[in-house]
Amino acid sequence: MYFEQECRKFLRPRRLEYQMFDLGPERLSLTNGTLFKHEISIINRQGHQLKCSFFEINPISDCCIIYCHGFNGCRVEGVKYAHVAAQYNLNFCTFDFQGCGHSQGDLITFGYLEQNDITCIILDIKKRFQQNQFILWGRSLGATTIQLKKQPYVSGYVLDSCFTDLNKACVRMIQKSTSLPKLIIKSVLYLLKGKIESQGNFKFDDIKIQRADSSVPTLYICSDQDTLIKSKNTIGLYQQHNGLRDLIKIQGEHNDSRSLELINQICCWCKERFQIHRQFSFHETSPIEIRKKYQHLAGRNSLIRTPSDIVTKYDINRQNLNHCQTQSTSVLKYNNQHIIQPKKLYFQESPQKIIGSQTKILKQQMSYEIGNSNKFIRKPIFD
């Protein structure tokens, strides 16, 4: 009976109760526009309704921050950050994970099922409010959940007090609520672990962050005074991150409120990430987009010749390419059909990888390959 009660505390913690009044007004006037709140329900993969608050700034923006609350938390955590994000012309979304707040569901799985909740939120918000870029902002359990799965359309992460190992996090959670020695706590957790995994239908080892996702720009936040989630967890992830990264150290315990200065720093960081991502995407062009760009020069029923090897390289190495550059084109008439013939078409890789003579060699090689008519294929404009 004791073990059943303890398992229930982990998988079904007490829901935080709140009223709709706590979610803020439907409309709020700001110096840079008007902030509108939309209350929506989204169905997750388990068929549960997730309650979500979407704060939309007018003038309209296509950039959105999604806030993921912590263990035993709810969406009210993020409501107070919405008006700060709106001052940076950013939309803001906060929601209840399944089993939390007003969302349906009976169990919390420490991120195992919650990672799919984030995917459902992103896809629904993108379709419903025409959002193109997202930054995921998570705290504690929310920060860990963000890293368990690579999400679509995400330009950056904000990870506040992230834990990397569920076993160690559970030991510290029990330590804070009891005065038992650590050795006894580990023994009790070992006995509880099997029941928790069978009831929750997940494994503790599934909730473990081996390495940071270096492909996504990340802002790490931690506190040396945090006794529940040690700062060394966050610092370890920060040191492993080989991509664009930032670290902010703050004061206070795990559940302390974040200062307005920190919230402004986070929103400013998100704004910069959105701008950089937009500039990068502006230069990125695919072979299909090139064909569409010149379709007005050719007839609707005409054909466009595209180097087959270039198309293959684009499909395979798209992640390592910055942009596709077309220097000049000419329109030829062949058998009463207009054909677009690129004179120079090559892909330019990262500047750090190609410097000096390598750039010249690459241009010569691509020019030679494109000049070989045997490597061209004929494709209709409208595939």
Side-chain angles (χ1 to χ4, degrees):
M1 187 65 179
Y2 169 77
F3 292 116
E4 294 290 338
Q5 293 177 352
E6 292 301 316
C7 292
R8 197 68 180 169
K9 289 181 181 179
F10 276 98
L11 296 175
R12 175 61 279 158
R14 182 177 61 88
R15 288 177 184 258
L16 287 183
E17 297 181 359
Y18 62 88
Q19 305 297 326
M20 297 304 295
F21 174 80
D22 299 320
L23 299 176
E26 299 291 332
R27 177 174 176 174
L28 180 64
S29 296
L30 302 173
T31 56
N32 63 322
T34 306
L35 185 64
F36 296 92
K37 185 188 69 170
H38 305 274
E39 292 295 331
I40 59 178
S41 296
I42 298 173
I43 306 298
N44 69 358
R45 295 185 180 181
Q46 285 71 46
H48 299 144
Q49 280 191 0
L50 305 178
K51 296 300 181 179
C52 174
S53 299
F54 181 79
F55 297 86
E56 184 178 25
I57 184 67
N58 189 10
I60 298 175
S61 171
D62 65 345
C63 301
C64 179
I65 299 174
I66 297 181
Y67 183 82
C68 306
H69 64 76
F71 180 76
N72 200 23
C74 65
R75 56 177 162 162
V76 177
E77 284 183 23
V79 169
K80 54 190 174 183
Y81 307 146
H83 76 280
V84 182
Q87 295 174 4
Y88 292 85
N89 198 36
L90 301 176
N91 296 324
F92 193 88
C93 175
T94 178
F95 68 99
D96 293 329
F97 280 118
Q98 63 173 356
C100 300
H102 291 178
S103 292
Q104 296 178 345
D106 296 326
L107 300 177
I108 292 177
T109 60
F110 297 94
Y112 182 72
L113 294 178
E114 287 79 0
Q115 58 185 316
N116 296 323
D117 290 352
I118 299 177
T119 307
C120 295
I121 294 291
I122 291 176
L123 297 178
D124 191 276
I125 293 297
K126 177 178 174 59
K127 180 180 179 180
R128 192 180 305 215
F129 298 101
Q130 290 78 48
Q131 300 298 287
N132 294 324
Q133 297 186 65
F134 296 89
I135 283 183
L136 300 180
W137 176 0
R139 183 169 177 179
S140 187
L141 174 64
T144 301
T145 304
I146 287 172
Q147 298 178 89
L148 293 177
K149 177 182 178 181
K150 190 172 181 63
Q151 304 290 350
Y153 312 111
V154 172
S155 304
Y157 295 152
V158 178
L159 305 180
D160 187 348
S161 306
C162 172
F163 65 85
T164 56
D165 192 321
L166 181 57
N167 290 281
K168 296 179 180 179
C170 288
V171 170
R172 296 194 190 98
M173 289 171 60
I174 299 175
Q175 274 184 314
K176 289 185 71 69
S177 60
T178 64
S179 57
L180 296 174
K182 191 173 182 179
L183 181 61
I184 295 179
I185 292 176
K186 287 185 176 181
S187 302
V188 172
L189 182 61
Y190 179 78
L191 298 174
L192 291 173
K193 186 176 177 181
K195 287 185 173 294
I196 294 175
E197 291 179 342
S198 61
Q199 292 183 18
N201 197 23
F202 72 97
K203 299 293 184 181
F204 270 49
D205 292 338
D206 295 332
I207 319 299
K208 184 177 292 187
I209 310 299
Q210 300 292 347
R211 289 188 62 85
D213 186 359
S214 299
S215 63
V216 180
T218 306
L219 173 62
Y220 296 93
I221 302 171
C222 65
S223 172
D224 291 331
Q225 287 79 39
D226 192 338
T227 57
L228 182 59
I229 305 298
K230 299 292 185 179
S231 59
K232 65 180 182 180
N233 291 280
T234 300
I235 294 175
L237 290 174
Y238 171 78
Q239 292 174 343
Q240 294 173 5
H241 193 116
N242 296 324
L244 197 150
R245 59 181 183 174
D246 292 286
L247 174 65
I248 299 178
K249 278 195 172 185
I250 59 176
Q251 302 293 323
E253 254 287 2
H254 184 73
N255 293 320
D256 288 351
S257 299
R258 299 308 186 220
S259 65
L260 181 60
E261 180 184 2
L262 175 64
I263 304 307
N264 274 287
Q265 287 179 321
I266 293 173
C267 292
C268 182
W269 185 90
C270 293
K271 182 70 173 179
E272 292 176 354
R273 299 285 75 74
F274 283 132
Q275 291 175 345
I276 292 174
H277 185 269
R278 190 186 301 277
Q279 293 172 0
F280 175 81
S281 300
F282 178 78
H283 295 290
E284 191 177 74
T285 310
S286 68
I288 296 177
E289 292 171 343
I290 293 174
R291 293 200 294 267
K292 291 181 179 180
K293 179 180 178 181
Y294 296 105
Q295 66 182 2
H296 67 280
L297 296 177
R300 184 176 179 86
N301 298 322
S302 65
L303 301 175
I304 289 182
R305 301 198 306 177
T306 306
S308 58
D309 57 328
I310 296 297
V311 176
T312 304
K313 289 181 181 179
Y314 180 87
D315 293 335
I316 297 176
N317 302 321
R318 185 176 185 274
Q319 298 297 329
N320 299 325
L321 303 177
N322 285 342
H323 63 276
C324 174
Q325 180 178 355
T326 304
Q327 290 188 346
S328 60
T329 59
S330 61
V331 181
L332 303 180
K333 193 171 183 181
Y334 178 73
N335 290 340
N336 295 323
Q337 290 182 338
H338 292 85
I339 300 173
I340 304 301
Q341 182 183 19
K343 290 184 178 179
K344 265 189 179 179
L345 179 65
Y346 62 91
F347 290 91
Q348 182 177 351
E349 297 184 358
S350 175
Q352 292 83 359
K353 296 182 179 180
I354 302 178
I355 56 176
S357 61
Q358 295 181 355
T359 305
K360 184 176 181 181
I361 295 174
L362 177 64
K363 292 181 179 180
Q364 293 176 351
Q365 182 180 357
M366 298 302 293
S367 299
Y368 172 78
E369 292 176 353
I370 293 174
N372 189 349
S373 59
N374 294 330
K375 294 188 177 181
F376 280 84
I377 57 176
R378 294 167 61 85
K379 288 187 176 181
I381 294 179
F382 300 94
D383 296 325

